[in-house]
Amino acid sequence: MISIENISFSYGEKRVLENLSLEIGKGSRICFFGESGCGKTTLLRLILGLEKPQSGTIKKDGALRSSAVFQENRLLPFKTVLQNITLIGADEGAALDRLRALGIEAAADSFPSDLSGGMQRRAAIARALCAEYDYLVLDEPFTGLDGANASAAARHISESLKERALILVTHSRAEAEMLGAQIIDITEKPHI
Amino acid sequence: MKQSNIKKVIKWTAVSLLWLAVWQLSAAAVGQELLIPYPKAVLLTLWELARTAEFWRAVLFSMLRITAGYSLGVVIGTAGAVLTARFAVFKAIFSPILHLIRAVPVASFIILALVWIKSAYLAVFISFLMVLPIIWTTVQSGIEGLDRKYLEMAQVFGLSSAKTLFQIKIPFILPSFIASATSALGFAWKSGVAAEVICRPANSLGKLLQDAKLYLETPRVFAVTATVALLSLLLELIIKRVTRRFSNDKH
């Protein structure tokens, strides 16, 4: 579904990705692992098309639709939680169902700034799951969530994925396991 | 009426009465109507003026001229800002012009423009010129200051360009646009009436003001000035009321 071939990326003098290759198949669940600054988030940005590789190629089968939970929540501050979700094309009923499943239905009409960090995170997860997507990108998705809420959210994400691909970045092996993702250490080579 | 509104009205009335008392006492202390007329004399003059067709014609045409210049400034300033924020070459071309307009005294523009433009339209041009750089620079920095993270979010979720513009870009820029559009209105009135005072077109508040000054009718100068201030405030209130429904305070 997504083929990454020999991509490299540097920030000035600092090379964060070097000749990285890997295949992400339909329905696969993978987790990029590695120490801070090794290029995990950069790799996600490359896959999402927010950056262009300085060398190598990323090929996608057709026009794949993406969805994401970014490292920051990126909820629009002037829209309510519900409006943030319906903005991406989800219908209101589906959005409320997601919020209910994540335990924040009561926050639907609140603005993000009126919510705790954990509630904002769950709102960002709800938005990502309400999108129509072929692959879901999660960058440290459970930041700010306590153990019970993180497990519940992981379960809900896992059930929602069905046959769609998951690309995860996390520092926690437990989180990767909760989502059933195969861990790939991007500092090791080769990755095929 | 809500209690907070009642408090506001009481506070506003108390402050107004305080300054009215200061005015009254100053007029009494100076004792010459030519220098400082009494509030009552100004009110009576205003009442007399309001009963003449000449006054209302002046109000109407001054308002038309200044509103036209202001509207042109807002529209062209916004369009220019979009252009300069998008293309570096346009920014390089127009930045010096905008700096120049800001730096040159309004009186210099009025005198220069008198040579080029009919006196009836001078206030339109001067109001436009004063509003243009305010709107242009504010909207431009609003666009440039847009947080790319939200635009990336829109890209990832496949939002259309129109949706990104109307649901993300414009709401982010709107509060600073409204603030600059409101303050620009005050500048439009000040500069527009200044242009009318210098070029004295028929049917204008500026001409009324200049005539009153020539004939040393100080109460009339005060009355016309008060009219200009009230009209500026009134239009400012209208702008705030109209834009409030588009604005939001959750930024």
Side-chain angles (χ1 to χ4, degrees):
Chain A
M1 189 173 74
I2 302 174
S3 310
I4 298 170
E5 288 167 17
N6 289 317
I7 57 162
S8 298
F9 199 91
S10 307
Y11 290 105
E13 294 291 298
K14 194 187 173 201
R15 177 149 283 212
V16 288
L17 296 171
E18 190 164 11
N19 295 327
L20 184 96
S21 297
L22 62 93
E23 291 283 336
I24 302 166
K26 195 181 172 197
S28 62
R29 297 183 183 191
I30 55 169
C31 171
F32 297 134
F33 212 75
E35 73 266 23
S36 293
C38 72
K40 302 185 295 289
T41 296
T42 303
L43 184 53
L44 291 189
R45 291 178 61 77
L46 286 161
I47 292 170
L48 285 169
L50 300 174
E51 303 280 359
K52 285 189 177 142
Q54 288 152 351
S55 67
T57 55
I58 297 179
K59 288 180 191 152
K60 292 176 184 167
D61 293 343
L64 295 180
R65 295 163 303 176
S66 55
S67 181
V69 174
F70 299 91
Q71 214 167 43
E72 325 80 12
N73 297 315
R74 303 195 187 188
L75 296 165
L76 293 168
F78 46 82
K79 289 194 183 289
T80 64
V81 167
L82 191 61
Q83 287 167 341
N84 264 286
I85 300 175
T86 52
L87 173 75
I88 60 160
D91 73 70
E92 215 171 288
L96 287 169
D97 286 345
R98 290 285 177 208
L99 292 173
R100 195 175 306 121
L102 289 161
I104 51 164
E105 192 193 6
D109 295 323
S110 302
F111 288 95
S113 58
D114 297 332
L115 304 176
S116 69
M119 289 171 94
Q120 288 183 34
R121 201 63 183 151
R122 280 181 280 168
I125 293 172
R127 177 180 62 185
L129 296 179
C130 281
E132 288 191 4
Y133 62 91
D134 299 300
Y135 66 98
L136 174 66
V137 167
L138 304 176
D139 194 352
E140 301 285 358
F142 306 124
T143 307
L145 296 188
D146 60 40
N149 278 322
S151 303
R155 256 195 320 277
H156 186 61
I157 293 170
S158 210
E159 285 163 13
S160 311
L161 275 169
K162 295 181 182 139
E163 289 306 303
R164 293 173 290 194
L166 169 72
I167 305 160
L168 171 72
V169 157
T170 177
H171 283 100
S172 156
R173 282 181 184 272
E175 286 180 4
E177 282 161 16
M178 280 197 292
L179 288 164
Q182 176 203 346
I183 290 175
I184 297 175
D185 189 337
I186 61 166
T187 54
E188 288 173 6
K189 292 173 227 165
H191 306 279
I192 301 180
Chain B
M1 200 186 276
K2 278 186 197 168
Q3 200 160 3
S4 59
N5 284 345
I6 295 171
K7 272 187 184 170
K8 254 189 213 170
V9 171
I10 292 173
K11 194 176 157 189
W12 188 86
T13 313
V15 171
S16 305
L17 285 174
L18 171 78
W19 285 110
L20 214 57
V22 170
W23 180 5
Q24 176 78 17
L25 288 172
S26 307
V30 173
Q32 287 187 59
E33 197 178 57
L34 186 67
L35 295 178
I36 304 180
Y38 283 100
K40 192 182 163 192
V42 173
L43 273 176
L44 281 174
T45 310
L46 194 57
W47 173 244
E48 279 165 23
L49 273 172
R51 290 166 70 191
T52 63
E54 182 200 7
F55 173 76
W56 290 110
R57 267 200 306 273
V59 167
L60 177 70
F61 282 98
S62 284
M63 204 148 89
L64 281 177
R65 285 186 200 102
I66 291 163
T67 310
Y70 171 78
S71 308
L72 271 175
V74 170
V75 172
I76 295 177
T78 306
V82 172
L83 206 65
T84 46
R86 180 82 181 77
F87 303 104
V89 63
F90 286 109
K91 191 175 176 179
I93 293 170
F94 286 105
S95 281
I97 303 288
L98 293 173
H99 278 109
L100 188 78
I101 297 174
R102 275 175 177 273
V104 173
V106 63
S108 306
F109 277 123
I110 297 171
I111 290 162
L112 268 174
L114 258 175
V115 183
W116 310 324
I117 299 170
K118 274 174 75 176
S119 66
Y121 303 115
L122 191 77
V124 179
F125 178 69
I126 294 298
S127 300
F128 160 74
L129 217 54
M130 291 302 109
V131 170
L132 185 78
I134 299 174
I135 300 289
W136 193 315
T137 48
T138 310
V139 175
Q140 183 186 306
S141 45
I143 296 171
E144 288 171 345
L146 260 177
D147 196 336
R148 282 212 57 78
K149 284 177 180 161
Y150 294 108
L151 303 182
E152 287 180 355
M153 180 274 289
Q155 187 184 331
V156 165
F157 286 111
L159 265 59
S160 65
S161 304
K163 215 169 186 179
T164 306
L165 176 68
F166 289 106
Q167 301 284 337
I168 300 178
K169 290 181 181 175
I170 290 179
F172 266 115
I173 298 165
L174 206 57
S176 56
F177 171 77
I178 290 171
S180 69
T182 311
S183 68
L185 186 67
F187 281 101
W189 271 97
K190 280 182 209 164
S191 56
V193 172
E196 286 180 346
V197 165
I198 293 175
C199 69
R200 303 177 74 244
N203 300 318
S204 72
L205 287 167
K207 183 173 182 293
L208 284 187
L209 204 58
Q210 179 69 322
D211 289 350
K213 184 225 150 198
L214 284 177
Y215 299 115
L216 301 174
E217 293 173 312
T218 314
R220 210 174 153 95
V221 173
F222 272 62
V224 177
T225 306
T227 307
V228 172
L230 282 173
L231 284 171
S232 175
L233 272 177
L234 182 74
L235 287 176
E236 198 176 309
L237 280 177
I238 292 171
I239 287 190
K240 278 185 179 161
R241 184 57 65 92
V242 170
T243 52
R244 194 161 58 188
R245 54 194 294 257
F246 299 111
S247 188
N248 49 73
D249 53 8
K250 278 285 170 187
H251 274 262

